[in-house]
Amino acid sequence: MTTAHHLRLIDGMRTREFPRARTPSVSGVSGPGYHTAFLRTDHEPWDDDEQAGPEYRAQCLAEHDALLTLLSARWGEPQLVSLWSAQERMLAGEVIPEPWADPVSGCEFVRLWQVEERWVAIGLALEDGGPGCELTVLVTVVDPP
């Protein structure tokens, strides 16, 4: 996917109605008060090619940075929101409500904008010491944890 495609997807998520129940979509999942999309996931086959993993991670990071630059030009600098305390609460047994459970379990932080009455969060999950990388977007009316 290109950055232009990511921007169109985010614009669509910002204007689309939320479903009444959790529903899978082509790019992610939607539910009451939120839409998520997986822009890049770490489910890429690189076992046969040692170079493919690092190249995939570099491309994922480049897409993340390009998306942040373009969204910042639109809406200003995002808030950098650490998810550390929510991760600690989750590990202690607290249930983090949707739609924030996935970002909390996979990302150290998100970049966050409030655009009109919806939050737009960009998350980047990196595999420790490995080539894995996942780039996600969340559009929601649910406040961050």
Side-chain angles (χ1 to χ4, degrees):
M1 277 193 236
T2 66
T3 303
H5 176 75
H6 296 333
L7 291 174
R8 284 191 303 275
L9 182 64
I10 292 167
D11 288 341
M13 292 168 67
R14 287 186 46 242
T15 59
R16 193 169 61 235
E17 292 292 322
F18 299 118
R20 292 182 186 203
R22 185 175 168 92
T23 308
S25 69
V26 172
S27 58
V29 69
S30 294
Y34 68 93
H35 299 295
T36 61
F38 305 100
L39 305 178
R40 247 190 197 273
T41 63
D42 63 358
H43 307 295
E44 298 294 322
W46 47 66
D47 294 335
D48 296 335
D49 184 356
E50 292 182 15
Q51 295 298 320
E55 288 173 11
Y56 176 82
R57 186 177 180 120
Q59 180 62 35
C60 183
L61 292 169
E63 287 181 26
H64 173 261
D65 293 348
L67 193 55
L68 292 181
T69 298
L70 293 170
L71 293 176
S72 294
R74 284 183 175 184
W75 302 321
E77 288 301 310
Q79 297 176 47
L80 178 63
V81 177
S82 172
L83 299 177
W84 176 83
S85 64
Q87 289 170 345
E88 290 295 313
R89 294 190 330 257
M90 183 182 267
L91 289 172
E94 182 179 331
V95 176
I96 303 297
E98 293 295 340
W100 291 100
D102 278 345
V104 165
S105 67
C107 301
E108 291 182 37
F109 59 87
V110 293
R111 307 288 180 164
L112 187 67
W113 294 266
Q114 189 165 21
V115 184
E116 297 162 3
E117 61 276 348
R118 295 186 180 194
W119 294 102
V120 177
I122 302 295
L124 181 66
L126 299 173
E127 180 183 334
D128 288 338
C133 181
E134 187 171 89
L135 179 59
T136 60
V137 61
L138 166 64
V139 175
T140 184
V141 294
V142 178
D143 290 339

